[in-house]
Amino acid sequence: MTAQLRQPLDREASWRVIEQQRRAIADVLAELTPAQWESPSLCARWRIRDVAAHIALTPQPPSLGALFAAGLRANGNYNRLIHDLTVRAANRPVAELVSAIRTHAASRKLPGPTNYRNILFDTMVHGQDIAIPLGRTIDIPADAAATGAATAAEIGWPVWDKRRLDGLTLRATDIDWSYGAGAEIRGPIKALLLLVTGRAAALENVTGEGVPALAARLLAG
């Protein structure tokens, strides 16, 4: 399956969006109460504090030694590795987390075997993980969301089960973008980006005959 998008963001444009998103996230975090820092995010099992720590860690990855030790503790499980590193980093004072995100907002350092395309969708989605449950708004450029959704939709093991989108067509209503083949799901590209990355909260913003099937897959875990 391939995504249909007239012009995906290039490297330079992607990094500009990543920087803008990091700064917008830091601005939201700087206004939070202690209780809000501990409240659940849209990212399963992570508090707002944990998501902030993950964003702060991205341009400041642990050393290879620390990654190796964490990998052993996680028994080679990628998602557990990311979770463990993040939760450990989340113990830092919240002011340090905000400062780290701001200080490294323009950093183009890539952690491990990843690339700027992955950092683009990861940063945008985690910004929404923070903003939406708190009733805040972090705007995402439609072309950036479309580029991110196209990247995320093609990622399978060890992050996601790639079959989660089988038999479905995702079609944006606010930009010329679609992905897949089958029962259609229609909605704003921001909602589709969140659905592609497993955020069931975005189901209320889409319509179409494919919604029940995707809802069942997302809610099943």
Side-chain angles (χ1 to χ4, degrees), residues 43-215:
C43 190
R45 299 191 300 151
W46 280 4
R47 303 160 296 173
I48 300 297
R49 173 190 287 272
D50 299 316
V51 180
H54 176 75
I55 296 167
L57 271 179
T58 299
Q60 305 177 83
S63 66
L64 289 177
L67 280 174
F68 180 75
L72 290 177
R73 290 194 299 268
N75 293 319
N77 183 301
Y78 173 81
N79 288 320
R80 182 177 168 187
L81 167 66
I82 297 300
H83 175 78
D84 290 351
L85 287 172
T86 298
V87 171
R88 285 171 180 266
N91 290 326
R92 296 165 63 184
V94 296
E96 287 187 16
L97 294 175
V98 175
S99 177
I101 294 171
R102 280 209 176 108
T103 299
H104 299 280
S107 172
R108 299 189 176 188
K109 188 170 184 178
L110 293 169
T114 190
N115 56 61
Y116 73 89
R117 297 179 187 89
N118 294 344
I119 301 302
L120 175 65
F121 82 74
D122 189 73
T123 305
M124 292 187 296
V125 170
H126 284 314
Q128 300 306 306
D129 286 339
I130 290 169
I132 291 174
L134 294 175
R136 308 298 179 92
T137 299
I138 296 178
D139 292 327
I140 295 177
D143 55 350
T147 300
T151 301
E154 289 296 317
I155 293 178
W157 185 89
V159 182
W160 294 302
D161 180 353
K162 195 172 181 180
R163 297 171 298 175
R164 70 198 187 282
L165 300 176
D166 285 358
L168 299 173
T169 296
L170 305 179
R171 191 174 305 282
T173 54
D174 54 348
I175 190 173
D176 184 12
W177 183 88
S178 65
Y179 177 87
E184 198 167 82
I185 298 172
R186 298 176 296 278
I189 188 60
K190 178 176 170 180
L192 298 182
L193 170 62
L194 293 175
L195 290 177
V196 168
T197 54
R199 275 62 178 174
L203 287 166
E204 63 185 35
N205 297 316
V206 297
T207 60
E209 64 273 24
V211 172
L214 183 57

